[in-house]
Amino acid sequence: MRITRVLGAALLTLGLAAWPAAADSTPAPSASDDGSAPTSAGTSFRTAAEFEQGRQATAGASTGDYLYWSFPADAGQRPTVKATVKLPDAHAAQTWQLDVYDGLRRRQACQYGAQTRTAAQGATSVDLACTLRTVRAWSETWADDPLPGTYYIRLTAVNLATADLGLPVSTEVRVDSKDVGGSAAVDGSLAKPLVPGIAVTSNSEDSDEDSSSSAVLSSIEPDDGWSSGWWSDRWVWTAVGGVLAALAGVGGYALTRGSGRPSRLPPGA
């Protein structure tokens, strides 16, 4: 009975501790399209159209244009960028490319996804996708790991024929993230997320200047703010491991200890 109680307490502790970790590892619910997403794209990094994850941005453009959007990504997220380009009826084969840059304007590699695709002549649309590596809370200065902050999307057609320049197209872009959790946690965090203009804003706040004089080039941040990755479910599993180790020690002692009485020898031994 005592062993059963020990095992039952261990399983209950494991289940209660694993519940928040399992909840954190599920993808965050996507926000519904409520008209707040942009309906046009920028033409450079500085004019990139901002939108939040879970919303779909649209834009009309012409082949040959460079289209830019930006979105926030926090530590522990693994963003997936998807783009759809609706092509005109009459066109030659076109190659479209989707690039993603971080707040330092470093081009980020895609773990998987069709980042570049060629639409055959007469095709009505082309779909592109790029799943980034998990955003880290901290990294070495020489590394190009994804870090919390603003990310830029650039969509354009490459190696266009002269006859296809200027043809009208319509585009749709969407970003969704999966929360990876403690498996991607690191010991460290950035002082500030990589958001354009945040250094100017910080200096303005430190000097108690009027907020209207600060230059903020990106105003969107995650709904719950920048976490910088100080908490992760790795803390939960560490605590669970300690509890299970203690319970295993108690159970092992209960199984192996004797009755406390010396064994009796048979008569005449």
Side-chain angles (χ1 to χ4, degrees), residues 66-176:
Y66 284 87
L67 307 178
Y68 288 83
W69 294 269
S70 66
F71 65 93
D74 205 359
Q77 293 183 337
R78 183 182 294 162
T80 296
V81 182
K82 296 182 179 179
T84 299
V85 183
K86 297 181 180 179
L87 304 170
D89 294 336
H91 66 84
Q94 295 182 4
T95 300
W96 286 79
Q97 182 168 311
L98 176 70
D99 296 311
V100 183
Y101 299 82
D102 65 5
L104 298 178
R105 301 185 184 179
R106 302 176 301 182
R107 184 175 180 272
Q108 292 296 314
C110 300
Q111 276 193 321
Y112 49 86
Q115 186 178 4
T116 303
R117 296 192 69 178
T118 299
Q121 184 175 4
T124 58
S125 65
V126 58
D127 295 323
L128 305 168
C130 175
T131 298
L132 300 177
R133 295 170 295 167
T134 304
V135 178
R136 297 165 59 91
W138 179 85
S139 178
E140 296 287 351
T141 54
W142 47 262
D144 62 348
D145 297 319
L147 294 171
T150 300
Y151 281 76
Y152 296 94
I153 304 170
R154 187 178 72 181
L155 179 64
T156 188
V158 296
N159 301 324
L160 274 175
T162 304
D164 278 348
L165 288 174
L167 292 179
V169 294
S170 60
T171 61
E172 299 174 353
V173 177
R174 184 182 180 92
V175 180
D176 294 289

Side-chain angles (χ1 to χ4, degrees), residues 19 27 46 55 71 80 96-97 144 146 159 166 204 227 250 261:
W19 171 255
R46 292 183 61 86
R55 288 182 168 84
F71 65 93
T80 296
W96 286 79
Q97 182 168 311
D144 62 348
N159 301 324
S204 175
S227 65
V250 174
R261 299 176 181 177

